[in-house]
């Protein structure tokens, strides 16, 4: 039997986030900026763009097949500038860093399998050509998740962690705290009681800063920022605040730590609350199911929870390379389902087409929208109109689920 979140009277759960100046996140943003530039002029571009950065150097590498040209070094410099690395005194800046580019075309073997799926080889007369013929760009399993802890249907710890980092970044950009530099992290520990958030147990905030500011000032200012983000009803006198626990944090960004695309996959998703298939998102065009199917799984999970069919839903979908139809689709509700699991599974199968071509069509994924996902999470972003965040199928799911007469919660066994 699946674990029920209601079984544990009290437990702690922690999630983290990072700012756009974190070296790994900088790489994610560069990879997605390259992808967006290519999709702008050639929406059919096949892109797998990876970025690595260290002191004074950015390396862009991968496989790109496209009918357009983009100036990758210029894209890299603009992205670094926009992330806040404008001053040479930081030890890394957009004007002086070296840039190396090593890309080649996608493997012809992979291209053949993706462009025409196993099911349609020899028969390409489908009325919707791409939906009917596009195979998955790789094997693997992808996971989507939603829960009713926040209005955006995200786990509370990761939602709060993202908001803290966004607030630190805003304070830097608006010069409210002019001593802040681009790199930073947050971490929030929430105490749960019988599966529901009870209080914020601990808040950790770390921010890169200029050398002249004292740690006392940083601690005071960042706590003030944090208290404006964390809802007052979730804090009490025992809530612990930890600011820059290592002390001085002047050396940061690519000078302090090598960065790499795809190394913050839990920051990008659900903060560890849900399982993860292991595939990263940034720099990948939507034929890569690591990205598109993870978005589709979130879309399914969010609609299931928004429909009131469960308090929590985790959707796993798996693929074989060059095969369009998913190998498996499964839904886990952790004992929070309000209707039978079989009903939920039947509704998912009826209302969601999880073939790669259908996902691309239904979520309109051949657009340059990916740079906006590359910091502060790919999910639960109410300030962005991401199509996988819509709950346009929730009303239909709710109506059909309860029409079937399964309104009472079903036991899982």
């Amino acid at each position: 039997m699946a674990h029920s979140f209601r079984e544990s009277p009290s437990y702690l759960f922690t999630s983290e986030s990072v700012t756009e100046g974190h070296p790994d996140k900088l790489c994610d943003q560069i990879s997605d900026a390259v992808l967006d530039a290519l999709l702008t002029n050639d929406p059919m571009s096949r892109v797998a763009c990876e970025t690595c950065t260290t002191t004074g150097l950015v390396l862009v590498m991968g496989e790109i097949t496209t009918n357009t040209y983009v100036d990758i070094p210029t894209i890299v410099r603009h992205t670094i500038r926009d992330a806040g690395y404008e001053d040479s005194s930081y030890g890394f800046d957009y004007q002086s860093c070296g840039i190396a580019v090593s890309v080649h075309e996608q493997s012809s073997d992979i291209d053949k399998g993706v462009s025409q799926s196993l099911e349609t080889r020899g028969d390409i007369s489908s009325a919707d050509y791409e939906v009917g013929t596009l195979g998955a760009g790789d094997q693997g399993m992808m996971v989507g998740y939603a829960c009713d802890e926040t209005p955006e249907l995200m786990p509370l710890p990761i939602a709060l962690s993202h908001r803290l980092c966004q607030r630190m970044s805003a304070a830097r950009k608006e010069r409210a705290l002019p001593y802040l530099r681009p790199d930073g992290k947050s971490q929030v520990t929430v105490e749960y009681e019988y599966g529901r958030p009870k209080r914020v147990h601990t808040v950790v905030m770390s921010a890169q800063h200029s050398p002249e500011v004292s740690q006392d000032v940083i601690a005071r200012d960042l706590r003030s920022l944090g208290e404006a983000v964390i809802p007052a009803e979730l804090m009490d006198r025992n809530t612990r605040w930890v600011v820059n626990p290592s002390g001085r944090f002047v050396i940061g960004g690519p000078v302090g730590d090598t960065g790499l695309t795809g190394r913050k996959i839990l920051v990008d998703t659900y903060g560890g609350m849900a399982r993860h298939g292991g595939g990263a998102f940034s720099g990948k065009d939507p034929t890569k199911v690591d990205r598109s199917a993870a978005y589709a799984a979130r879309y399914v999970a969010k609609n299931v929870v928004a429909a009131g069919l469960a308090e929590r839903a985790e959707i796993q979908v798996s693929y074989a390379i060059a095969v369009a139809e998913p190998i498996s689709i499964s839904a886990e509700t952790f004992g929070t389902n309000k209707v039978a699991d079989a009903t939920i599974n039947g509704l998912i199968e009826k209302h969601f087409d999880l073939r790669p071509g259908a996902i691309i069509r239904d979520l309109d994924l051949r657009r340059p929208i990916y740079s906006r996902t590359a910091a502060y999470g790919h999910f639960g972003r109410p300030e962005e109109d991401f199509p996988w965040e819509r709950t346009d199928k929730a009303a239909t799911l709710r109506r059909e689920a309860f029409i079937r007469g399964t309104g009472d919660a079903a036991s899982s066994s």
Side-chain angles (χ1 to χ4, degrees):
M1 184 172 72
H3 168 72
S4 170
F5 279 77
R6 297 191 181 98
E7 291 174 359
S8 303
S10 181
Y11 60 92
L12 302 178
F13 195 92
T14 302
S15 296
E16 70 158 348
S17 183
V18 298
T19 65
E20 69 253 48
H22 186 281
D24 293 332
K25 271 289 138 215
L26 184 63
C27 291
D28 287 342
Q29 291 165 90
I30 291 170
S31 293
D32 271 339
V34 172
L35 171 63
D36 276 354
L38 291 161
L39 293 178
T40 296
N41 295 322
D42 180 9
M44 304 302 288
S45 295
R46 297 275 176 83
V47 184
C49 180
E50 310 284 349
T51 304
C52 179
T53 182
T54 187
T55 305
L57 177 65
V58 175
L59 171 61
V60 179
M61 51 199 163
E63 298 79 47
I64 296 175
T65 300
T66 185
N67 290 318
T68 191
Y69 167 80
V70 298
D71 184 349
I72 291 178
T74 296
I75 293 169
V76 171
R77 294 193 191 280
H78 287 172
T79 305
I80 295 170
R81 178 198 62 199
D82 292 346
Y85 290 103
E86 302 176 295
D87 192 330
S88 61
S89 68
Y90 296 176
F92 181 88
D93 71 280
Y94 78 101
Q95 291 178 307
S96 65
C97 69
I99 299 171
V101 178
S102 179
V103 299
H104 56 84
E105 290 188 344
Q106 182 183 58
S107 159
S108 59
D109 293 339
I110 295 175
D111 173 72
K112 180 179 178 181
V114 173
S115 297
Q116 189 176 355
S117 68
L118 178 69
E119 300 98 318
T120 59
R121 290 175 199 170
D123 177 13
I124 55 173
S125 59
S126 170
D128 192 333
Y129 179 84
E130 184 175 48
V131 170
T133 62
L134 191 68
D138 202 351
Q139 71 173 42
M141 59 281 187
M142 297 82 211
V143 176
Y145 183 82
C147 62
D148 63 359
E149 295 177 12
T150 62
E152 61 268 37
L153 303 185
M154 287 288 286
L156 183 62
I158 188 66
L160 293 177
S161 294
H162 285 322
R163 291 174 201 164
L164 289 169
C165 280
Q166 287 173 309
R167 185 61 65 92
M168 283 194 289
S169 179
R172 173 179 60 82
K173 293 176 180 178
E174 296 164 3
R175 307 291 294 173
L177 299 179
Y179 58 79
L180 290 182
R181 290 183 174 179
D183 198 357
K185 286 185 171 186
S186 69
Q187 185 172 286
V188 176
T189 300
V190 173
E191 180 181 346
Y192 284 78
E193 191 168 74
Y194 293 103
R196 307 303 300 179
K198 179 182 179 183
R199 57 184 289 272
V200 170
H201 178 277
T202 301
V203 179
V204 180
M205 301 175 72
S206 295
Q208 185 188 15
H209 58 86
S210 57
E212 72 279 358
V213 64
S214 74
Q215 293 302 314
D216 289 341
V217 169
I218 296 170
R220 179 199 67 200
D221 290 346
L222 292 191
R223 177 163 178 170
S224 178
L225 285 182
E227 288 176 341
V229 169
I230 308 292
E233 63 271 19
L234 292 175
M235 295 184 289
D236 56 34
R237 59 188 179 87
N238 294 318
T239 297
R240 185 183 180 200
W241 292 84
V242 182
V243 177
N244 277 13
S246 67
R248 181 181 169 93
F249 185 8
V250 173
I251 300 171
V255 179
D257 190 13
T258 297
L260 186 65
T261 297
R263 205 157 57 180
K264 284 290 176 284
I265 58 175
L266 296 184
V267 173
D268 287 341
T269 54
Y270 309 102
M273 185 71 77
R275 285 167 280 204
H276 197 293
F281 301 155
S282 290
K284 296 178 181 177
D285 76 85
T287 67
K288 278 69 172 176
V289 284
D290 275 344
R291 181 169 221 161
S292 55
Y295 290 173
R298 162 67 175 173
Y299 179 53
V300 175
K302 190 171 184 184
N303 276 272
V304 166
V305 173
L309 308 189
E311 295 172 14
R312 301 174 182 267
E314 182 183 85
I315 309 299
Q316 187 201 69
V317 58
S318 68
Y319 296 88
I321 189 168
V323 178
E325 290 288 345
I327 301 301
S328 67
I329 303 170
S330 63
E332 170 64 79
T333 58
F334 307 98
T336 70
N337 52 308
K338 308 303 181 184
V339 300
D341 286 335
T343 298
I344 295 174
N345 287 322
L347 290 170
I348 291 171
E349 183 176 352
K350 178 180 178 181
H351 291 287
F352 298 92
D353 188 342
L354 296 177
R355 293 174 296 166
I359 293 170
I360 292 170
R361 175 198 64 196
D362 295 343
L363 298 182
D364 195 12
L365 295 181
R366 291 200 181 277
R367 297 176 294 141
I369 59 174
Y370 298 104
S371 293
R372 288 149 44 201
T373 70
Y376 309 115
H378 295 243
F379 309 120
R381 301 279 299 281
E383 76 276 12
E384 300 284 1
D385 183 24
F386 293 149
W388 52 89
E389 290 296 303
R390 297 171 187 166
T391 54
D392 51 327
K393 296 196 177 187
T396 298
L397 297 180
R398 183 184 308 111
R399 181 176 64 253
E400 293 192 16
F402 290 99
I403 282 175
R404 295 184 185 196
T406 54
D408 295 330
S411 62
S412 299
S413 60

